[in-house]
Amino acid sequence: IYPIAARLAGSLVHLKTAGTSYLEALHTLAQVDAELFRDILEFSKQRYPEDRATYHVSAEVERIPASSELSDEDLPGLFDHFDAREVLHVTFGSVLNHPDLRPRFFRSLNEHLDIYSEMLQKHFVRHLEPFAS
């Protein structure tokens, strides 16, 4: 689809999926593995000052509630929170290279692949549907 979009839309459209797919994976974990998601969130908040150096971003860690202040049911709501989404997005490399978080991330995601797949499909359909109209 990328060559077709590029040919038809030229520079009017920029399609990115890796970061979105990662955020949807975290969104899945926030729903099915609160303990792991809390660990990733707190680690990401610690890593953000260093990881943000290669990005033009404006999130402020101080505006993100501590995971301990949120109920398990509140965790998915962080994906509607600009600062939380940006911090989680920017720190993906550190999370996926962490010797404890990486295996837990993939194990949990694989255990809930059906939910992750459904979330990805909904997300991409919503964003790509305008191209099919």
Side-chain angles (χ1 to χ4, degrees):
I1 191 166
Y2 289 107
I4 296 167
R7 185 177 74 245
L8 296 176
S11 63
L12 299 175
V13 175
H14 181 97
L15 299 173
K16 293 174 60 176
T17 61
T20 299
S21 297
Y22 175 72
L23 285 175
E24 287 302 309
L26 293 181
H27 198 176
T28 300
L29 295 178
Q31 294 179 37
V32 301
D33 194 338
E35 180 182 348
L36 173 56
F37 178 75
R38 288 174 196 282
D39 290 347
I40 290 172
L41 177 62
E42 294 307 319
F43 175 74
S44 295
K45 289 165 61 175
Q46 292 171 6
R47 287 291 311 174
Y48 180 70
E50 185 174 340
D51 289 357
R52 73 177 286 177
T54 59
Y55 293 89
H56 183 71
V57 292
S58 59
E60 296 292 334
V61 171
E62 298 77 25
R63 294 190 287 227
I64 304 170
S67 63
S68 60
E69 296 174 1
L70 300 168
S71 70
D72 289 357
E73 294 76 26
D74 291 334
L75 295 176
L78 287 173
F79 291 87
D80 296 325
H81 186 288
F82 169 80
D83 296 285
R85 279 184 67 86
E86 192 164 274
V87 166
L88 290 167
H89 189 187
V90 166
T91 57
F92 78 96
S94 292
V95 170
L96 294 180
N97 284 310
H98 190 280
D100 176 53
L101 296 176
R102 178 187 176 91
R104 291 171 61 203
F105 173 91
F106 284 109
R107 184 172 41 253
S108 188
L109 202 58
N110 281 319
E111 288 172 4
H112 302 16
L113 199 53
D114 55 332
I115 296 169
Y116 176 49
S117 295
E118 183 180 323
M119 292 183 70
L120 271 179
Q121 182 178 355
K122 285 180 185 176
H123 184 82
F124 284 121
V125 165
R126 187 174 80 238
H127 289 284
L128 296 176
E129 196 168 41
F131 295 106
S133 301

